[in-house]
Amino acid sequence: MNRREFMGMAALLPWLGALPAEVLAAPTRPPQRIVVLVKLAGGNDGLNTLIPHNDPLYYQHRPTIALRKHQIIDIGETHSLNPYLKALKPWWDKGNIAWVQGVGYPHSTLSHFRSSDIWETGVAANQYADAGWLGSLLPGCKPGLHGIAIGDDSGPISGKGCNTIAMQSPQSFLSQINLLEDIQPVTTNSVLAHVTNVHHQLYAAGEQLSTKLQRPVPLGVNFSTSQFGRELEAVAKMILTGVDAAVYMVTLDGFDTHSNQSAVQSNLLHQLAGALDSFAQAMQRGGRWNDVMLMTYSEFGRRVQENHGKGTDHGTASVQLVMGGKVRGGIYGDAPDLSHLDGDGNVQHTVDFRAVYGTVSQRWLGQPNPWAKFGTLPFV
């Protein structure tokens, strides 16, 4: 392999964080607890996900895109589910799904890039950080490999001390890594040392994944053939095969619904629910459902009032779904008040997103809570 081929592959398959070779050695047992992050990229509309069916203002602001009472899924609460989330209803009935409503932060920004950065680093709107919110926590959880991100986005699990692999898929990672031959890092030249160290780390990571995935555990569950379904299936295989990672991340894109929202969001929520249902079944069959917490997030919600394109523009607070065998099902947080919108027609958040992060940190991962001042939520 020549230098250009190597550098191209290193760019395609970034290894974030400096790892000694021995750190990549697979442990004899999988991590005790796992977090699976699902990013709903583009800004998912919370009001048409968890629907305030008893609020007349919901229908007043959305004369054409509101979900009517004969369409929605009754979950025995003041809110109902979008009908395209019906595959999740059995998990709700089992008490394995929590919804956190009104999640946001003060002085919200409506920029996709900046708001994603805020959500993924866990800082205030006027602050910046160079590590993801989990990137600063995971080194305290365990040694070795911390996270695997499928796709181009690994923001929440990035950071200097967080050992993360970003890949397009396990298959593409392994096919590319097989082109490498191992070399020992050079120490005599700083630039060459970095290049040879990255090369060695990529090779070592491929060795671990290749060893684990040569004989993957049969899932016994059919996943959808959509890209998102295949990615979540890959995560399920890695978890059940014992790949040594504490956090996995996948992304479902397309939620920037400025027009034709009903059709676009319905299709996306259908993909989401089907893949999450298959994933939960696989974890349950494989005996890991109690060890896994899956959580969605999106950079913001949508404006309350529909626009002329039968869509919604960038908004503020939204909802998060949390599911797992140890999750305490229910709806958490106060519903946003549709009668008291801000000057742009957006709802005021009722739960700071860092209260969710603090809950995951303290109650799930057993780590110190950097966001203790925002409290925690009893969904786990």
Side-chain angles (χ1 to χ4, degrees):
M1 174 180 288
N2 62 35
R3 180 180 180 276
R4 177 176 294 180
E5 289 172 333
F6 165 68
M7 294 305 292
M9 187 179 68
L12 175 66
L13 306 171
W15 175 262
L16 305 178
L19 279 174
E22 64 271 14
V23 164
L24 290 165
T28 58
R29 59 191 295 266
Q32 180 63 34
R33 285 187 165 178
I34 293 170
V35 175
V36 178
L37 296 176
V38 177
K39 181 177 181 177
L40 307 181
N44 179 46
D45 179 27
L47 290 176
N48 272 20
T49 302
L50 186 66
I51 300 157
H53 61 262
N54 287 329
D55 192 336
L57 291 175
Y58 166 69
Y59 299 98
Q60 179 179 320
H61 285 297
R62 300 182 168 203
T64 63
I65 69 169
L67 277 298
R68 306 298 164 177
K69 291 185 178 181
H70 69 277
Q71 299 173 299
I72 55 185
I73 300 173
D74 183 7
I75 56 174
E77 297 279 351
T78 57
H79 289 59
S80 300
L81 291 186
N82 186 294
Y84 287 89
L85 294 173
K86 63 182 180 180
L88 298 180
K89 178 63 160 52
W91 300 100
W92 168 267
D93 292 339
K94 292 177 183 178
N96 290 163
I97 288 181
W99 291 97
V100 186
Q101 60 184 338
V103 186
Y105 57 90
H107 311 295
S108 299
T109 175
L110 303 184
S111 159
H112 287 291
F113 178 81
R114 177 58 187 145
S115 195
S116 290
D117 184 59
I118 292 168
W119 269 87
E120 294 181 347
T121 58
V123 299
N126 62 347
Q127 296 177 322
Y128 293 84
D130 57 6
W133 70 273
L134 279 164
S136 59
L137 293 175
L138 292 175
C141 293
K142 61 183 289 296
L145 180 60
H146 294 128
I148 295 177
I150 300 181
D152 298 324
D153 194 346
S154 59
I157 47 177
S158 64
K160 183 177 180 181
C162 187
N163 305 321
T164 297
I165 299 173
M167 62 178 72
Q168 294 303 311
S169 71
Q171 293 77 19
S172 66
F173 181 81
L174 292 176
S175 67
Q176 295 289 326
I177 211 71
N178 286 337
L179 299 175
L180 286 180
E181 294 182 3
D182 194 17
I183 58 176
Q184 292 303 311
V186 173
T187 59
T188 55
N189 178 283
S190 60
V191 175
L192 189 57
H194 174 72
V195 172
T196 56
N197 194 40
V198 169
H199 184 118
H200 182 64
Q201 291 165 3
L202 284 167
Y203 181 85
E207 284 287 287
Q208 181 192 151
L209 288 176
S210 179
T211 300
K212 291 291 184 180
L213 295 178
Q214 279 180 355
R215 295 181 178 84
V217 175
L219 299 182
V221 176
N222 292 323
F223 281 75
S224 72
T225 58
S226 68
Q227 179 178 342
F228 179 69
R230 292 194 303 269
E231 290 178 355
L232 207 53
E233 181 180 18
V235 170
K237 287 181 179 179
M238 287 189 281
I239 291 174
L240 295 184
T241 305
V243 171
D244 178 29
V247 179
Y248 295 85
M249 179 178 173
V250 294
T251 299
L252 179 58
D253 203 351
F255 285 92
D256 197 15
T257 50
H258 288 282
S259 62
N260 194 27
Q261 176 172 304
S262 294
V264 175
Q265 191 192 30
S266 294
N267 176 54
L268 291 169
L269 293 182
H270 178 70
Q271 289 186 52
L272 176 69
L276 295 190
D277 175 42
S278 296
F279 177 80
Q281 289 186 53
M283 292 300 100
Q284 192 170 65
R285 289 173 62 94
R288 300 304 309 277
W289 188 222
N290 287 345
D291 302 327
V292 174
M293 174 189 289
L294 183 147
M295 183 173 71
T296 67
Y297 75 96
S298 195
E299 63 261 44
F300 42 62
R302 314 298 296 185
R303 194 154 295 171
V304 177
Q305 186 171 8
E306 67 178 69
N307 60 28
H308 294 297
K310 296 185 178 179
T312 51
D313 298 322
H314 297 180
T316 53
S318 191
V319 298
Q320 285 184 269
L321 175 151
V322 185
M323 65 186 300
K326 290 293 187 180
V327 168
R328 297 188 181 108
I331 297 178
Y332 297 85
D334 295 328
D337 186 351
L338 301 189
S339 66
H340 290 86
L341 306 179
D342 67 16
D344 294 321
N346 291 315
V347 296
Q348 307 284 347
H349 77 279
T350 61
V351 175
D352 194 291
F353 75 110
R354 288 159 291 190
V356 179
Y357 291 176
T359 302
V360 175
S361 173
Q362 179 178 323
R363 293 174 175 261
W364 184 249
L365 296 176
Q367 295 300 302
N369 182 359
W371 309 280
K373 67 179 181 179
F374 299 103
T376 58
L377 299 166
F379 59 75
V380 66

